[in-house]
Amino acid sequence: MSKEKLRVLMVEDNPTDALISKKRLQRDDAFEYDITHVVSGEDGLLTLEKHSFDIMLLDYNLPKKSGLETLREIKAKNIEMPIVMITGQGDEQVAVTLIKEGAFDYLPKRDGYEDSIPLMIRKTIAEFRAKLERENLQKEIALKKEELEKTNAKLMELDKMKSDFVANVVHELRTPLTIIRGNLDNIDKGFAGEVQPQQKDILGDIFRVINRLSRLVNDLLDISKIESGKMELNKESLDIVTLAGEAVKTFEVLAGSKKIGLIKEFPNKAVTVNADKDKLTQVFINLMGNAIKFTDKGNVVVRIIDLQKEAQVEIQDTGSGIPLDQVDKIFDKFVRVVAEKKEGTGLGLPIAKDIIVLHKGRIRVESESGKGSRFIFVIPK
Ligand SMILES: Nc1ncnc2c1ncn2[C@@H]1O[C@H](COP(=O)(O)OP(=O)(O)OP(=O)(O)O)[C@@H](O)[C@H]1O
Ligand SMILES: [Mg+2]
């Protein structure tokens, strides 16, 4: 195998030292050395203007321009080449300065120091190349990071545009919905002529769909408000027991029609929390709505536990339960586990979770497929 050619610039004013060093290198078999020898710092600098080298051996003790001055001038020119300084004996202090000034390494001129030159060169070249590789890698990483940051910023901007668009569209949907409902209401009440029983039935169906659409529009509006950080809480001191009682009442008819028991396990006294009444009511409605929707027989228990610094609420059902591998996903938007024909969009839980998190509370679920679910949340007092 042919040896790699290494271009060496040797700055050495002592002809004997230079000769021995060159001879020693010629005997070395690690590289094929192409040595350019000059006798002063000035000549070294001039040579560097015209040619490039893989390594430089620079004598510290030079007449006229010193080794240190020469080193500084080379460094100022940003030439990418390792420089090994050949220092006098016992120049340890000098060596420290030289390294600080950018020398790659140093070799003291002891008797027979020439024998150490090949090893020094090998070691220096290996370390220098490893260093270059590291630096290139770091540059590449920095570049990639910058690229990623730019892409990320762009994606965030696009995401915001999309959210704003959705928010606007959803907002615009509200007005025509209100008008449709108002007009239907007028027809239903007979303001546009007598309504036949069959027509009333059809109107009833339309009302149900309109209500569903309104709920969806309101849910989407809530989500977009939360996501854009525009959902504000009107916190007040309120009794969560009373609030939960009212929520349970609104579900009595529905639960009754499905023959599901609604059980309240409440403390005997008020439990005051600091919360937004409407938003907290919505959490109860979303969780209880789910419990009743996904339960066909048995009970739904609403439990309130008075803890020291927070109120804990549990809504427990004997319904379909949630498969283990889906439990982590149900708080994400638009996730619906059962493909059954149950009405819904998959926004109730994400909204409930966001509201609770805005209150600095926590929500989680314990569930077993086929046995039922227990949603547990806490709200600070
Ligand atoms: N109590 C529960 N029992 C069984 N599955 C549940 C229960 N609560 C939620 N889930 C599952 O989690 C999914 C997400 O619930 P979420 O309330 O977010 O949406 P949804 O009820 O389907 O629709 P929406 O609430 O928007 O009307 C449900 O579709 C259902 O699969
Ligand atoms: Mg729901």
Side-chain angles (χ1 to χ4, degrees):
M1 217 174 71
S2 69
K3 285 183 276 180
E4 187 189 343
K5 196 174 213 165
L6 206 71
R7 294 156 303 170
V8 183
L9 176 59
M10 182 185 287
V11 184
E12 175 59 76
D13 63 321
N14 182 323
T16 320
D17 286 349
L19 192 68
I20 301 176
S21 300
K22 276 193 246 176
K23 282 229 160 93
R24 179 64 190 82
L25 282 177
Q26 269 147 16
R27 272 194 287 124
D28 183 59
D29 55 8
F31 294 101
E32 187 190 320
Y33 295 94
D34 176 1
I35 303 167
T36 302
H37 172 215
V38 296
V39 293
S40 69
E42 290 86 344
D43 284 350
L45 283 158
L46 278 175
T47 311
L48 278 174
E49 274 175 24
K50 294 189 208 112
H51 306 282
S52 57
F53 295 88
D54 298 303
I55 186 165
M56 180 177 191
L57 304 176
L58 174 58
D59 193 8
Y60 173 69
N61 291 308
L62 290 171
K64 289 204 272 175
K65 197 187 285 286
S66 75
L68 180 59
E69 271 174 90
T70 311
L71 172 70
R72 279 185 183 144
E73 283 183 36
I74 296 172
K75 282 285 145 191
K77 289 186 177 161
N78 274 330
I79 298 173
E80 280 232 70
M81 166 191 66
I83 301 171
V84 175
M85 298 296 298
I86 311 293
T87 59
Q89 272 207 61
D91 275 349
E92 253 60 44
Q93 208 42 52
V94 167
V96 172
T97 312
L98 292 171
I99 299 287
K100 262 196 208 140
E101 294 281 341
F104 201 87
D105 211 338
Y106 70 97
L107 187 63
K109 260 190 192 178
R110 294 192 189 91
D111 275 348
Y113 80 96
E114 295 89 351
D115 284 333
S116 309
I117 293 179
L119 184 66
M120 174 56 95
I121 289 183
R122 234 174 293 161
K123 180 181 139 277
T124 303
I125 290 290
E127 280 176 14
F128 183 72
R129 286 182 180 166
K131 184 177 148 251
L132 278 188
E133 214 168 291
R134 259 198 321 273
E135 282 169 1
N136 282 339
L137 215 65
Q138 268 160 2
K139 268 188 220 150
E140 228 172 276
I141 290 171
L143 222 68
K144 282 265 179 323
K145 192 170 159 241
E146 207 177 300
E147 259 171 51
L148 274 177
E149 275 166 1
K150 270 194 204 142
T151 315
N152 200 22
K154 192 153 186 100
L155 280 175
M156 270 159 72
E157 199 188 309
L158 283 174
D159 190 55
K160 192 181 172 302
M161 273 167 67
K162 186 211 71 188
S163 300
D164 288 352
F165 172 75
V166 171
N168 283 335
V169 170
V170 172
H171 193 78
E172 288 307 313
L173 282 173
R174 275 223 297 206
T175 319
L177 264 179
T178 314
I179 295 168
I180 294 172
R181 195 210 296 270
N183 284 324
L184 274 178
D185 215 31
N186 286 341
I187 295 174
D188 191 48
K189 285 189 177 124
F191 295 158
E194 200 184 325
V195 187
Q196 303 302 317
Q198 214 182 340
Q199 292 170 327
K200 248 208 161 6
D201 279 354
I202 296 173
L203 282 175
D205 285 345
I206 300 177
F207 270 123
R208 265 189 293 283
V209 178
I210 295 273
N211 286 340
R212 196 173 151 192
L213 203 54
S214 303
R215 205 168 66 83
L216 174 59
V217 166
N218 285 332
D219 280 356
L220 284 171
L221 261 184
D222 278 346
I223 285 275
S224 70
K225 263 192 219 151
I226 291 166
E227 283 184 352
S228 61
K230 284 183 194 142
M231 160 96 64
E232 280 173 15
L233 296 180
N234 291 316
K235 282 200 200 169
E236 57 182 309
S237 259
L238 57 88
D239 172 25
I240 197 166
V241 177
T242 310
L243 187 131
E246 284 162 6
V248 169
K249 224 185 204 110
T250 61
F251 282 102
E252 270 165 3
V253 176
L254 182 65
S257 72
K258 287 187 81 174
K259 297 195 169 47
I260 295 168
L262 260 185
I263 302 166
K264 292 190 279 190
E265 289 184 13
F266 292 176
N268 295 326
K269 56 177 179 49
V271 178
T272 310
V273 292
N274 189 22
D276 182 313
K277 192 173 175 187
D278 291 342
K279 304 282 178 339
L280 195 54
T281 301
Q282 198 181 344
V283 172
F284 273 101
I285 287 179
N286 290 3
L287 295 180
M288 290 185 63
N290 281 347
I292 294 170
K293 177 161 61 169
F294 297 106
T295 302
D296 291 326
K297 59 173 191 285
N299 308 307
V300 170
V301 180
V302 180
R303 189 176 294 121
I304 295 176
I305 303 164
D306 189 5
L307 300 176
Q308 229 177 20
K309 290 186 174 145
E310 43 201 22
Q312 177 162 320
V313 179
E314 300 183 2
I315 291 166
Q316 189 179 337
D317 64 55
T318 52
S320 61
I322 301 152
L324 207 63
D325 58 331
Q326 302 285 332
V327 164
D328 288 342
K329 299 186 191 143
I330 56 166
F331 290 102
D332 294 340
K333 273 177 290 175
F334 303 114
V335 169
R336 306 186 61 221
V337 177
V338 263
E340 258 180 78
K341 289 191 198 81
K342 296 239 193 276
E343 196 181 285
T345 318
L347 289 174
L349 286 179
I351 291 174
K353 181 179 177 178
D354 285 339
I355 291 175
I356 286 166
V357 170
L358 271 178
H359 279 89
K360 297 193 166 52
R362 301 177 303 281
I363 183 166
R364 67 190 168 88
V365 61
E366 289 169 2
S367 186
E368 199 177 328
S369 207
K371 292 215 168 146
S373 316
R374 187 209 301 243
F375 284 81
I376 303 155
F377 71 87
V378 292
I379 288 283
K381 285 185 173 172

